[in-house]
Amino acid sequence: VVDALGKRCPIPVIELAKVFPGVPVGGTVRVLSDDEAARLDIPAWCEMRGQEYVGEEPADGGTAYLVRRLG
């Protein structure tokens, strides 16, 4: 889980990129953010990096964006 609540983009994407190398292939990361820009930035990051954007779901204080590591 990456808790980026209260942080403006691009910080949620930067924090995602920092933890991603430690995620096993097939693992999922939840990025918590209350910045609306994350709704576009996180899927764009996934596309650029060849990872799977699984979707989003409501979370306490914001939204959880789900990213699966493909490789």
Side-chain angles (χ1 to χ4, degrees), residues 1 3 7 13 15 17 23 33 36-37 42 45 51 53 62 69-70:
V1 174
D3 185 352
K7 298 176 183 169
V13 172
E15 295 297 320
V23 176
S33 180
E36 284 295 316
I42 292 174
W45 182 89
Q51 305 303 327
Y53 177 67
R69 182 165 186 178
L70 298 180

Side-chain angles (χ1 to χ4, degrees), residues 1-2 12-31 42 45-46 49-54 65-71:
V1 174
V2 173
V13 172
I14 291 170
E15 295 297 320
L16 169 61
K18 282 183 187 176
V19 302
F20 214 71
V23 176
V25 173
T28 302
V29 176
R30 290 172 48 95
V31 181
I42 292 174
W45 182 89
C46 291
R49 299 292 190 269
Q51 305 303 327
E52 181 182 1
Y53 177 67
V54 179
Y65 300 93
L66 307 172
V67 177
R68 182 175 295 121
R69 182 165 186 178
L70 298 180

